[in-house]
Amino acid sequence: MSRSEVSKEQDEMGITTEDLPGGIAKVILDGNLGIEGAAAIDLRMNVIAGAHNAVIVDLQKVTFIGSMGLRVLVAPARAIKSRGGKMVLFGPNEMVEKVLKTSGIDTVIPVHHDLQAALAALQ
Amino acid sequence: MIGNHRESTPDRIVLHSDLSEISRVFRWIEVLASRYEIVESVQFAINLCLEEAVSNVIRHGYAGQPGRPIAVCFSISGEGAYIFTVDDEAPPFNPLETPSLPMLDEQGEARIGGHGILLIRGFADALEYKPVQGGNRLCLVFSKGASPHDPQ
């Protein structure tokens, strides 16, 4: 398993990736996914989406998400889907999940709270 | 209704039309949340709605033009609700009349943008738009919510 991490200072958005068995990329996001946080990881998310057909995005440490944050989830999910792959979201907190539901994103990118179920959905 | 609230405790922040200014709103809300014991879920809703409202003004109202003012005012109604008004000097535009876009675009794919208004509608408890001389005013109201100190 390889691991790649971009260091995160206070109030910044952190992004870490892990290569899991089965060609799955796990992307761990950490911090505030508002406008500035979304801009900070946008390119990286698109690079990951361009290189993997199965991606799980771990949202457990995401404290906030706005519409720009949703963009950096939807655009990679679309790119992956266009190649026949799949992206799933894992572990959002209650308020982040409310944003996913209010926007309807949860209907096009599956949201899981059980890691094994999330990984199984990518098989 | 917003107009019937007896307001008190005003506070105000003036921003320039630059997206980097939105981090100042977050820090301001943090101070207000601490001062008025705003519960975490309500603070999240306020941050979300103000980020969307202010960024809409910057990107659409001012069309990215730098150096234009956006004033955000805070007050507490007689009933204890948190009221925020966002004033700008952009051409008249009522965001509440903007129809919500369907989740899927014309190609049947997930829509990448256009979620801002939907989120404001979903997270604010009341909204009111008023054209004002030379600009726009959007009022956003948030109920106090359940306090962690309230008896169960």
Side-chain angles (χ1 to χ4, degrees), chain A residues 58-77:
Chain A
D58 186 336
L59 298 174
Q60 290 181 100
K61 293 180 180 172
V62 171
T63 56
F64 176 85
I65 188 168
S67 64
M68 297 303 282
L70 295 177
R71 279 174 181 261
V72 300
L73 298 178
V74 174

Side-chain angles (χ1 to χ4, degrees), chain A residues 73-102:
Chain A
L73 298 178
V74 174
R78 277 181 61 152
I80 292 166
K81 187 184 169 204
S82 71
R83 299 192 309 270
K86 192 168 185 183
M87 185 174 112
V88 299
L89 305 176
F90 168 64
N93 71 30
E94 185 183 352
M95 293 306 288
V96 169
E97 185 161 18
K98 187 177 174 187
V99 172
L100 298 172
K101 287 183 171 172
T102 302

Side-chain angles (χ1 to χ4, degrees), chain B residues 86-94 129-132 134-138:
Chain B
V86 179
D87 285 286
D88 64 55
E89 296 178 0
F93 173 68
N94 182 355
Y129 167 80
K130 237 187 261 183
V132 294
N136 305 276
R137 172 170 293 167
L138 181 65

Side-chain angles (χ1 to χ4, degrees), chain A:
Chain A
M1 180 190 301
S2 68
R3 185 181 175 94
S4 162
E5 187 165 352
V6 173
S7 64
K8 164 182 174 283
E9 294 181 10
Q10 193 177 6
D11 296 333
E12 288 186 354
M13 191 70 207
I15 178 168
T16 307
T17 58
E18 288 178 16
D19 290 327
L20 303 182
I24 297 173
K26 183 178 184 185
V27 181
I28 303 167
L29 302 182
D30 180 357
N32 182 322
L33 203 41
I35 285 178
E36 291 189 355
I41 66 163
D42 186 32
L43 177 61
R44 187 85 188 281
M45 287 295 289
N46 282 302
V47 169
I48 292 165
H52 296 86
N53 275 356
V55 175
I56 174 171
V57 181
D58 186 336
L59 298 174
Q60 290 181 100
K61 293 180 180 172
V62 171
T63 56
F64 176 85
I65 188 168
S67 64
M68 297 303 282
L70 295 177
R71 279 174 181 261
V72 300
L73 298 178
V74 174
R78 277 181 61 152
I80 292 166
K81 187 184 169 204
S82 71
R83 299 192 309 270
K86 192 168 185 183
M87 185 174 112
V88 299
L89 305 176
F90 168 64
N93 71 30
E94 185 183 352
M95 293 306 288
V96 169
E97 185 161 18
K98 187 177 174 187
V99 172
L100 298 172
K101 287 183 171 172
T102 302
S103 62
I105 297 296
D106 65 320
T107 63
V108 289
I109 311 176
V111 179
H112 294 271
H113 286 279
D114 178 86
L115 182 59
Q116 293 311 314
L119 294 173
L122 294 173
Q123 301 298 327

Side-chain angles (χ1 to χ4, degrees), chain B residues 62-137:
Chain B
Y62 289 138
Q65 190 183 357
R68 304 298 304 280
I70 302 158
V72 186
C73 294
F74 168 74
S75 60
I76 299 178
S77 75
E79 293 80 19
Y82 308 118
I83 302 174
F84 290 85
T85 60
V86 179
D87 285 286
D88 64 55
E89 296 178 0
F93 173 68
N94 182 355
L96 307 182
E97 286 181 349
T98 306
S100 296
L101 297 172
M103 185 56 229
L104 301 180
D105 65 15
E106 297 74 14
Q107 287 79 44
E109 295 292 335
R111 194 174 292 282
I112 292 176
H115 305 293
I117 296 295
L118 200 59
L119 294 177
I120 290 175
R121 288 182 178 135
F123 280 79
D125 292 300
L127 294 165
E128 188 173 285
Y129 167 80
K130 237 187 261 183
V132 294
Q133 190 171 13
N136 305 276
R137 172 170 293 167

